[in-house]
Structures are given as structure tokens and as C-alpha cells.
Amino acid sequence: MADEKQNGKGGLIGVLEKVKGDTKDLKNRALDEIQSYKDVDKTQLYKSVFRVKHDESQRSRALGILTNVFLHLHPAKINRDAVRYSYTWGMGGISFYLFVVLTFTGVLLMFYYHPTKGQAYRDIMYLEADVPFGTLLRNMHRWAAHLMVITVWLHMFRVFLTGSYKKPREFNWVVGVVLMLLTLLLSFTGYLLPDDQLGFWAVTVGTTMAMNTPLLGYAGPFGAQLGMNQFNDVRFALLGGSIVDANALLRSYIWHCIGIPILISIFMAVHFWRVRKDGGISGPSPVMLESEIKELKRGAVVAPMKSGGR
Amino acid sequence: MDWHQIWDIVSTPDNIPIVALFFLVPFYTWYAFRQGRANDRLIAQLEADPEAAKTHHRKTLPFKEGWTREVHVWPYLLRIEFLAAIIVTVILMVWSITLNAPLEEPANPNLTMNPAKAPWYFLGLQEMLVYFDPWMAGVVLPSLILVGLAAIPFMDENPLGSGYYTLKQRKWSITAFCFGFMVLWLAMIFIGTFIRGPGWMWFWPGQTWDHSRVIFEVNRDLPDLFHITSAWGKGIFGAVVVAAYYGIAGWLLHKVIARKGFNQRIYKRMSMLQYLIMQFFLITMLLLPLKMIIRHAFRIKYIWITPWFNI
């Protein structure tokens, strides 16, 4: 009995001691763990997201670029002179950044906009008067679009002046021309969307051109002879009608927000891919001398012209 | 001098890009040409001294023996990109806070805007409408601009000047491109923005846009000057004149292109197809200034008149 009693008492004390001991252990463990979380980059969560170390070793710097989906379009290393602003003017990159800004502000604008006659104009009024930062949002979208047209032109100008379209980059220049066209079309399709006088008459002028397309427009050369009329020509296809009205607004909206952005994204992907595959950006490369031109070896397909000038 | 009118045009928010281009294009042209001239000096120096050419690093940029050829993208490129993004964002923010995007009256098909202008980047095409019919100015010529631009790498057989700025090694192509970009494209946009007023009439900067102005302008067609009246006669006459233009302009261009030593060397590298396509685009490019001259100097509207189209 005494034994039992002792046991009982000892049991209670033992349990208490044990709990105390366990608590201390738990506390120490928790403290240890908290301590270990201070090394954030050692946690499983962190390592699952970032798979390389971010120290200053050569390897980590390279992997930081190569294992990041947003950065991996870059090579790990580039020519030391290629980072110079004087060579690239940064216009291609800025154009892309502006496209991102436009996508971002564009999506926000879409929340407030109905592409329907009557409602569209009111939406803009509402956006400017009632939506917090609505005016700023619309202004940014418009000015970024204008700026993108400018930067795309200057990019093209720079690429021409540095002869960067020459072998092996010919095809990427062609892709670039398509991108420039798509940039202009994106801007133009957005012009009608506020449904105001400015957009309406600009698009009226613009689609009058389509009406005059040779062969495919009813007012163009040989259009009438090919059976084109107001209701089946290329202008009708663009406007979804014979006048700039509700259907034109909807079509313009779809092209502006879905059609052309998808197309331009595809061409951009090819453009950036080809920059890498064609050997990175073209320079600044060492100058070449006239005396170093290698004479062309032509295949049987193309015969060089024999006679010199005159 | 109507300063108010000038200010009205310049300060229209949608015209800001054109005003900006007024400064940006000259600046970047100067920036590029300066580097081109520096490279040209280096090239001349190396051409004169073949021994130095073998060992020289061949750039006008700072250079030290021990420098690595490549640098890491992180941080040397990414920090520039990040900085550029921040600067562009700041510019956009300031621009967007200070200037509001235009919003006119609601669209009204019964009330024509005068002048009804296309977006600024298409004003060059709208200006071309003065000299060509819509099917040419609005469809054929823009398509040719795009195709011509895309064809540049396939026509330019000059292997020099790839990856560096130069003027001397690429005189011909740079002249042609700058002429197209600055004179035929940007200057047309400037005219469309700053000069053209109501009724798309010509108003000098500082002249008040008079909405009731009437211009007594009688345009003639080229066949009229030769008293050709029959439709057949006009059609055939026009075709002959246009063909003659392409022939003569091509011949003159050929003289210029293939005259000098270096140009001749490049010319010999070109295939017949390349050369003919290049000639076609160059001559077509010159069609615009030519039509501008005969329109303004001789009041001639059409050269070639057929029942289906007029040029």
C-alpha cells in the first residue's frame, strides 16, 4: 500500500517533472527552430522557390540569371561593351517595358469599359470623374502608347545605323518590321475606343483607305470589276458594317485587347529568341576594314553581274 | 504672326510626341553620327597602317589589356535595365499627371471634324493623300514601305559596318534610310501636324487657321498639257511617262550607285534580282518628292489616267 502510495505520489511528481522537462525541451526546440529560421535561405520553403545561392560567386551570378524564368532570356554573360548606352540607346528594352506598362494599365482600364455604343463614352467620363486615379490610369495608357511608337522607331533607327540587320540577323529585322506594324495597329485600334469625335473621324479617314484597296475595296482600282460593294469588301470586314458604328467599336476593342496583343506577343517571343540565337546583340563589334572584305562565292543559282557600272 | 495659333498646335497634348521627336531625332542622329565619325577616323588610321590593324582592338571605346572580354549580366546589365525602367516610369508619371489625354465630344457622324486628322504617326500617310489617290497613299505605298523595310537586309550586300556606327563605309545605305525616315516620313508628319489646317490647306506656322478660307487652285493633269483628250490616249501616254520615269530615274541612280570605286565593288556582289528590287524601291521612294514638286510648281495632279485608277 505504502509502495502504492509512494508510487502514486512519485507518479504525480514524476509526471509534473516530466511535463516540466518536456516543456523545457519544447521551448529549447522552438528557440532553436526560430534561430534556424533566421537563415531564411536555408528553409525548405525558400529553397523550393529559389534554387540557387545568392552569393557573389561567379557560378551563383550565372545561375541567378539562367534559372529565373523572367531573366533567362538574357545570357549569363555578355560582351563588356554591349552594356554601353551609347551603342544600344536601350530603345528595344524600353519598348518592351512600355508594352508591359500598357498591358498592366490596359487590364485595369478594361474593368471600367464596355465596348458598346453609348456606354463607351460614358465609361470614359466615369473613369475621369469618379474612379480613383482613373484619369491618371487613362493618361498613362495613352502616353505610354505614344512613347512606345517613338521608342520603336528609334530602336529601328539605331539598328539600321549600326548595321545590325546584316547577316546573320536578317530575319530578326523582318520580325522587327512586323512588330513595328503591330505597334502602330495596336495604337490605332485603341484610338476609336473612347468613342469620341477624335477617334471616330480618325478611324473614318483610316478605313476610307481600306475602301480604296485595289482589288479588295469597292472604290479601289478593279474593285467594282471584281464584284466588290459596300457590303462585302475589306472595309466591311474591318468595320463589321458599312459605317463606323457599334460593330466597329466591338471589333476595334477585340483587336485591341485580344487579337493584336496575342499576335505581338508571339512575334516578340520570336524576336527575343532570335536575338539570342543569332549570337546576342550585334555589337559594339570591332571595326572591319575595306581591305578585309572576302570575295563572295556564289552558288550556281545566282550569277553575279558581270559588268561594272556605267 | 499668330503666336496663339502656334501655341494651340504645339500644346495640344496629342502633339507632344511630335514635339518630342523634334528634339529626340536630331539628338540621337548627332549621337550616332558622332560615334560613326570616331569609328571612321579609326578605320582610316588602320587602313593606313596594316601592322597596327593586326594588333589593334579596333574599338573607339575605352580599353585596357587585362580586362575580361565579358561581364556578368547580373549585375552589370540588369541594374541598367532596372534603372531604365524606373526612369521611364517617372517620365510617364510626370507626363500623365501634368497632361490629360484628350477627350472630344461624343462621336457624331453628322458633324465632321475640320481638320479631321489621323493619329499623329499616320499623318505622313494622310499628307501623301494630297499627292496620290487613296489607294496609292493609303494602301499601296504603306505596303511598299513595309515590304521595302523588310527587304533591306536582303538587298544590302555591303559586309562592312555590321555592329558598329560608321558613315563612310555605308554612305549609300545611310543616306537612303535617313532620307526615307526623316524626309519622307517624319517631315511629312510635321507638315501634317503643324502646317495643315482646316480643309487640309497649307497654313504657314503662325498663320491663323481660317475656317472659311478658300483657295483658288486649278489642277491640271499631265495629258492635258499635251492636249490629249481620248481615254485611250491618256492611258497609253501615262503608261509611257511612268515607264520613262522608271527608266530614266533608274539609269540616273545606276550612274550614281555604280560610279565610285567602293560602290562599284558592292554592286558587283549583288545579284540581278537584288539590284532590280533595290532600284524599284528607290525609284518608288523618289516618286513622292517628284509628285510634290510637279504639284506645287506646275499644278499637275495626275500623270497617268485610266478608267480604273489614276496616278
Side-chain angles (χ1 to χ4, degrees):
Chain A
M1 284 302 283
D3 224 30
E4 267 177 23
K5 210 178 173 184
Q6 189 109 44
N7 270 349
K9 198 181 175 189
L12 192 61
I13 291 170
V15 169
L16 276 173
E17 301 262 294
K18 199 163 177 279
V19 169
K20 226 170 150 187
D22 284 354
T23 317
K24 206 170 183 184
D25 279 354
L26 268 178
K27 190 182 141 198
N28 286 339
R29 238 178 92 182
L31 284 174
D32 279 354
E33 240 182 79
I34 289 169
Q35 206 61 37
S36 77
Y37 290 144
K38 283 188 177 164
D39 274 341
V40 179
D41 52 358
K42 295 239 167 52
T43 58
Q44 187 190 3
L45 182 66
Y46 182 91
K47 282 199 261 182
S48 72
V49 181
F50 304 102
R51 296 170 57 187
V52 292
K53 284 189 202 149
H54 285 130
D55 51 23
E56 284 186 17
S57 71
Q58 301 263 325
R59 182 183 145 80
S60 298
R61 281 189 170 170
L63 286 177
I65 297 294
L66 298 178
T67 62
N68 184 309
V69 67
F70 302 108
L71 301 179
H72 85 283
L73 271 171
H74 296 98
K77 280 180 157 188
I78 48 166
N79 190 319
R80 120 175 277 112
D81 294 321
V83 298
R84 284 180 187 282
Y85 182 80
S86 62
Y87 183 74
T88 64
W89 308 349
M91 288 301 165
I94 291 174
S95 304
F96 175 65
Y97 176 67
L98 287 170
F99 179 75
V100 174
V101 170
L102 285 163
T103 309
F104 183 74
T105 51
V107 169
L108 292 179
L109 285 172
M110 283 168 82
F111 286 136
Y112 297 102
Y113 180 80
H114 304 75
T116 44
K117 235 12 198 182
Q119 184 69 46
Y121 188 80
R122 258 180 264 164
D123 284 339
I124 308 294
M125 303 276 276
Y126 173 66
L127 188 78
E128 297 210 322
D130 283 339
V131 176
F133 299 108
T135 311
L136 183 71
L137 191 64
R138 175 161 182 255
N139 290 350
M140 269 193 99
H141 195 73
R142 191 172 190 106
W143 303 142
H146 282 348
L147 197 57
M148 186 169 161
V149 172
I150 293 180
T151 57
V152 165
W153 286 356
L154 288 177
H155 177 56
M156 184 178 226
F157 189 41
R158 190 284 287 176
V159 169
F160 185 88
L161 288 178
T162 55
S164 305
Y165 58 83
K166 300 191 177 194
K167 273 174 215 135
R169 297 182 177 80
E170 304 102 309
F171 180 68
N172 219 10
W173 167 271
V174 178
V175 175
V177 172
V178 175
L179 282 172
M180 182 192 70
L181 170 67
L182 290 174
T183 305
L184 295 179
L185 290 180
L186 261 179
S187 193
F188 187 62
T189 49
Y191 220 68
L192 181 65
L193 298 185
D195 198 26
D196 64 345
Q197 282 283 67
L198 199 65
F200 178 84
W201 288 103
V203 170
T204 303
V205 170
T207 49
T208 306
M209 310 278 175
M211 181 170 93
N212 285 286
T213 309
L215 311 179
L216 296 175
Y218 79 94
F222 307 110
Q225 286 82 349
L226 283 172
M228 292 295 159
N229 60 47
Q230 284 205 56
F231 306 104
N232 67 359
D233 73 342
V234 63
R235 178 167 176 269
F236 189 90
L238 289 175
L239 293 179
S242 55
I243 49 166
V244 182
D245 204 26
N247 282 349
L249 191 60
L250 184 62
R251 284 192 185 200
S252 180
Y253 177 74
I254 305 276
W255 278 118
H256 186 72
C257 302
I258 300 170
I260 304 177
I262 290 176
L263 280 177
I264 204 169
S265 303
I266 294 170
F267 276 93
M268 265 196 289
V270 176
H271 198 60
F272 300 160
W273 172 259
R274 283 301 289 252
V275 170
R276 287 292 303 282
K277 292 294 139 182
D278 294 339
I281 70 162
S282 59
S285 51
V287 297
M288 190 178 155
L289 306 182
E290 198 189 319
S291 52
E292 291 163 347
I293 298 180
K294 289 195 187 89
E295 286 313 318
L296 216 56
K297 281 184 214 135
R298 283 208 181 273
V301 190
V302 190
M305 286 197 282
K306 293 267 157 46
S307 61
R310 311 189 61 87
Chain B
M1 196 71 178
D2 187 351
W3 291 103
H4 183 71
Q5 182 71 57
I6 296 183
W7 179 245
D8 259 3
I9 303 172
V10 174
S11 64
T12 302
D14 253 355
N15 287 345
I16 297 297
I18 308 162
V19 178
L21 277 176
F22 212 85
F23 297 98
L24 285 173
V25 172
F27 169 73
Y28 278 108
T29 310
W30 166 81
Y31 199 36
F33 280 22
R34 192 180 65 148
Q35 295 177 69
R37 277 198 304 275
N39 280 333
D40 286 343
R41 280 195 294 273
L42 176 67
I43 289 164
Q45 198 185 325
L46 296 180
E47 288 279 14
D49 186 356
E51 274 313 303
K54 279 179 194 159
T55 51
H56 198 275
H57 62 93
R58 296 197 173 198
K59 288 183 189 177
T60 45
L61 304 168
F63 176 81
K64 265 187 197 156
E65 276 307 324
W67 277 357
T68 51
R69 220 171 61 80
E70 294 186 316
V71 290
H72 273 287
V73 162
W74 168 254
Y76 299 104
L77 176 60
L78 284 183
R79 67 180 180 192
I80 297 174
E81 292 178 347
F82 185 58
L83 200 61
I86 290 174
I87 293 171
V88 171
T89 311
V90 169
I91 292 173
L92 270 181
M93 277 285 179
V94 173
W95 191 355
S96 304
I97 289 168
T98 48
L99 286 173
N100 282 338
L103 185 66
E104 303 275 335
E105 306 275 294
N108 183 356
N110 299 318
L111 185 69
T112 313
M113 293 258 284
N114 191 12
K117 290 194 178 183
W120 63 273
Y121 38 83
F122 285 149
L123 280 180
L125 302 180
Q126 202 175 349
E127 175 63 16
M128 282 206 296
L129 277 173
V130 176
Y131 310 103
F132 292 101
D133 278 356
W135 67 275
M136 268 295 263
V139 186
V140 174
L141 292 177
S143 310
L144 284 178
I145 292 173
L146 289 170
V147 177
L149 280 173
I152 286 174
F154 306 100
M155 300 185 296
D156 186 353
E157 268 297 326
N158 183 357
L160 299 180
S162 173
Y164 54 91
Y165 292 99
T166 172
L167 297 176
K168 279 193 182 149
Q169 290 186 335
R170 296 176 61 213
K171 262 185 214 152
W172 182 250
S173 56
I174 286 178
T175 310
F177 189 86
C178 286
F179 178 72
F181 180 53
M182 290 170 191
V183 179
L184 297 188
W185 188 248
L186 294 181
M188 290 291 145
I189 290 177
F190 287 130
I191 292 176
T193 310
F194 295 110
I195 307 284
R196 294 298 180 177
W200 208 255
M201 283 183 221
W202 189 282
F203 290 88
W204 291 105
Q207 210 177 336
T208 314
W209 280 14
D210 177 4
H211 281 258
S212 47
R213 178 177 163 195
V214 180
I215 291 186
F216 183 70
E217 195 175 48
V218 184
N219 286 318
R220 310 169 286 184
D221 300 328
L222 192 61
D224 297 345
L225 299 184
F226 295 90
H227 306 291
I228 298 168
T229 45
S230 75
W232 276 99
K234 284 182 179 183
I236 294 168
F237 173 79
V240 171
V241 171
V242 171
Y245 163 68
Y246 270 78
I248 294 168
W251 179 70
L252 287 174
L253 275 174
H254 180 77
K255 285 220 139 192
V256 180
I257 294 170
R259 191 189 47 179
K260 285 225 262 162
F262 180 66
N263 280 349
Q264 200 170 51
R265 204 170 158 190
I266 302 305
Y267 164 72
K268 278 184 186 160
R269 293 167 70 92
M270 296 177 81
S271 70
M272 181 99 86
L273 185 67
Q274 276 176 319
Y275 186 70
L276 289 177
I277 290 175
M278 185 184 80
Q279 278 276 16
F280 169 75
F281 282 122
L282 288 174
I283 300 169
T284 309
M285 221 163 108
L286 291 174
L287 208 55
L288 176 62
L290 183 80
K291 277 215 77 173
M292 288 177 77
I293 291 168
I294 62 168
R295 179 64 169 276
H296 289 300
F298 306 108
R299 295 186 285 113
I300 294 172
K301 187 164 170 143
Y302 293 126
I303 299 170
W304 187 3
I305 299 166
T306 73
W308 311 282
F309 63 85
N310 302 318
I311 290 175

